[in-house]
Structures are given as structure tokens and as C-alpha cells.
């Protein structure tokens, strides 16, 4: 005999889900907000077993066309995806443990396309503006701002820092519990250590006094004061991770160890390097060529004809005399010899004496180019 479905409205199921499941999650506050949104919807008064996939699709479309009172824009696709994910988790639990439904109507409903994610970078002008605004008014908020850029810590991780977990001598801040549910040790740069030293004093207790809501209010007020648009505090984490990659000294795994990212795919989203940084990398070969150009430079030499032979010696370098049957051959042999001398010196890290001046009108003097070819010598 089949078990009978226990009648339960969605609003009661949402309350039960929050009290038995959500409260045990680190993100319970976010789920509280999503549950309240669902409780205000047309679905809330219906029995769980009577809600169909069509009802869920209608909810999805209605939410996507809703204007957010906070932003003034349509509710984002990610917001709706998270609400549907919560609803799906509720149905899976209710079907197995509560017996209030026989299937999950959310399962086969199309989810809104995921947004590409924010790639907002903090500009140098914005960084200076924020520092100037906070320098004398709010040193605590300034310290939090600087720590975010230096450590790539999340807002909650910075606000939950405690002195008993900060070792300024070793340069490490220990996070007993992170968003991923695991502990993490965050290396502190010299600048991060200097920021924390200004607040040092207590042996234990919180480093900062801000609550989550208090900090959000302070951040919004700061943006209004500075006139900076569309900058979320979480964008500073993206900025910090991008800067870690731009150092060019850390690999992906090392950056992940600092930032606490578990997924390499998630980490890729934070590596949108500045175009100027990429230009610098693209021009690395050119800079190397320019460096080589300062090593492999022409040197003057004396050349004379003696008993049917041409003798050539460098005036600024200790080198054996080059002998050849023709002037062209002597110049070519000297060029090959000069290139070898300069290469050996470059490999050994030695500097050759700078070339002296040459009088181009003196037939007994010639300027030897280390990259000269036989064809160019013959042409001359």
C-alpha cells in the first residue's frame, strides 16, 4: 500500500526547512532572505504536492521581471538561480524525509543562464581617493580596505580576525573557519603586517569592532562620499587575487593557497589581468632584445696592410691580432671574434670596457659590427 502524502503548505515547509536545515549553515542569513522572498510569492499558500513545474516556471519568469528595490534593476539571474536551488533542496528533503510530496517540480525547470561573474577592477585613482577619504576619519575602515587588497581575504574573514590567531612575527593570520568550512593560514605581506601593527595591543579578542551590517553601512557611506560607482567590497578580493597573479612569481596553486579557493575553475574567474600588464608581458621579448642591444655593440679597430696581409686589432679590447688576405675577410673575421668575446663576457656577467671614439675619415680605422655578414662586408 502506497504511503499517503502528508499535506503541508510551502510556507510551512519553508519555515521547517529554515529551523531544521538552514540554521546549521554558515550562509543561514542569506537563506533567511531567500526563504522570505519565497514566502511572499504566490506559491507560498499552495500545498507542496500540488505545485507543478509550470508553477515553478511562472515563479522564475515573474522573479526575473521584478525590479529590485535595492538596485533599481531587474532581479539578477544568479539571485533567481539560488532561490530555485533552495527550493529544489527543500523538495528533495521533503520527498524523502517528510513525505509531503512525491516528486521535485523544480528539477526539470530551465534555470536562468548564469551570469559571467563580475570582473570589476579597482583603479589607482579610486584607491587613492578611498585612502585619502579614510586617512584621518576612519583608520579602522582604512585598515580593512588595505588588508583586503594585501591578503585577498573575504569581508567576513577580515571582520572575524582575532588577535590570538594573528602572528605578526611569523607573518601569518589563522582563520579557524572559512566560507569553505575549513581552516586556512593566510600569509601576511610586509604591508599587511604594518597595517595590523597599528592596531596591535590586545593579546586576544577581535581585531576590528565592525559588525557585518555596520560595515556594509560604512562601506556604502564611503562610496557615496567618494563618488565611486559600482564597487562592491568583494571586488577587492578579485583585485587582490589579480594582483597576486600579476606579480608573476606565484603559480595557480600558490595563489589558491593564499585566497582559499577550492575550485581552480572558480579561481580562473579572478585572473582578468589588466591590459597594461599583458602589454608588459608581450613586450618582454622586446625588452630582452633591447638589453642584448646594449651588450652586442660595435667596437673600433685599427687595420693596416703589411706584406700582402691585412692586420686588424681592437683598440679597446685585449685580443690577438687578426690576419687575413683581404680587407673584407679581416673585417668579417673580426666581427665573428667580437661576437664571441661579447657572448662570453655576457655569460660570465662581466662588463667589457666601453668602445672608444673612431675617426671615420681615417682609413686605418674601422668600426666592427658583431652581426656583420660576408655579403654586407663585400657590399661595403
Amino acid at each position: 500500500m502506497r504511503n499517503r502524502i502528508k499535506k503541508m503548505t510551502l510556507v510551512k515547509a519553508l519555515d521547517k526547512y529554515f529551523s531544521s536545515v538552514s540554521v546549521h549553515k554558515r550562509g543561514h542569513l542569506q537563506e533567511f532572505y531567500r526563504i522570505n522572498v519565497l514566502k511572499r510569492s504566490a506559491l507560498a499558500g499552495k500545498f507542496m504536492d500540488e505545485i507543478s513545474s509550470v508553477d515553478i516556471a511562472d515563479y522564475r519568469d515573474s522573479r526575473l521581471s521584478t525590479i529590485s528595490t535595492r538596485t533599481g534593476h531587474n532581479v539578477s539571474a544568479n539571485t533567481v538561480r539560488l532561490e530555485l536551488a533552495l527550493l529544489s533542496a527543500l523538495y528533495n528533503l521533503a520527498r524523502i524525509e517528510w513525505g509531503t510530496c512525491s516528486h521535485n517540480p523544480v528539477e526539470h525547470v530551465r534555470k536562468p543562464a548564469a551570469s559571467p561573474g563580475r570582473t570589476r577592477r579597482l583603479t589607482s585613482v579610486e584607491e587613492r581617493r578611498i585612502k585619502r577619504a579614510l586617512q584621518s576619519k576612519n583608520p579602522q575602515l582604512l585598515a580593512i580596505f588595505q588588508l583586503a587588497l594585501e591578503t585577498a581575504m573575504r569581508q567576513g574573514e577580515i571582520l572575524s580576525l582575532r588577535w590570538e590567531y594573528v602572528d605578526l612575527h611569523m607573518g601569518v593570520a589563522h582563520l579557524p573557519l572559512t566560507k569553505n568550512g575549513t581552516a586556512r593560514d593566510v600569509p601576511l605581506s610586509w604591508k599587511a603586517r604594518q597595517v595590523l601593527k597599528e592596531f596591535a595591543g590586545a593579546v586576544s579578542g577581535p581585531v576590528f569592532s565592525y559588525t557585518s551590517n555596520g560595515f556594509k553601512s560604512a562601506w556604502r557611506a564611503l562610496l557615496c562620499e567618494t563618488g565611486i560607482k559600482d564597487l562592491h567590497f568583494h571586488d577587492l578580493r578579485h583585485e587582490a587575487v589579480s594582483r597576486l597573479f600579476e606579480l608573476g612569481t606565484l603559480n595557480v596553486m600558490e595563489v589558491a593557497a593564499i585566497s582559499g579557493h577550492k575550485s581552480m575553475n572558480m579561481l580562473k574567474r579572478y585572473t582578468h589581468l589588466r591590459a597594461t600588464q599583458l602589454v608588459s608581458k608581450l613586450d618582454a621579448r622586446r625588452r630582452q632584445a633591447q638589453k642584448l642591444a646594449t651588450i652586442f655593440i660595435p667596437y673600433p679597430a685599427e687595420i693596416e696592410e703589411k706584406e700582402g696581409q691585412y692586420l686588424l686589432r681592437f683598440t679597446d679590447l685585449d685580443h690577438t691580432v687578426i690576419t687575413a688576405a683581404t680587407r673584407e675577410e679581416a673585417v668579417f673575421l673580426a666581427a665573428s671574434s667580437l661576437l664571441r668575446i661579447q657572448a662570453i663576457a655576457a655569460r660570465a656577467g662581466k662588463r667589457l670596457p666601453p668602445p672608444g671614439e673612431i675617426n671615420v675619415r681615417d682609413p686605418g680605422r674601422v668600426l666592427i659590427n658583431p652581426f656583420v655578414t660576408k655579403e654586407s662586408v663585400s657590399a661595403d
Side-chain angles (χ1 to χ4, degrees), residues 15 33 74 77 106 146 193 195 212 217 279 294 334:
D15 286 335
Y33 294 135
N74 284 76
V106 186
Q146 291 176 313
R193 295 197 299 274
V195 168
S212 178
S217 298
V279 169
T294 64

Side-chain angles (χ1 to χ4, degrees), residues 291-307:
K291 183 178 179 181
L292 292 175
T294 64
I295 297 173
F296 299 100
I297 56 178
Y299 270 75
E302 296 176 346
I303 188 168
E304 62 175 326
E305 183 182 6
K306 193 173 184 179
E307 297 178 354

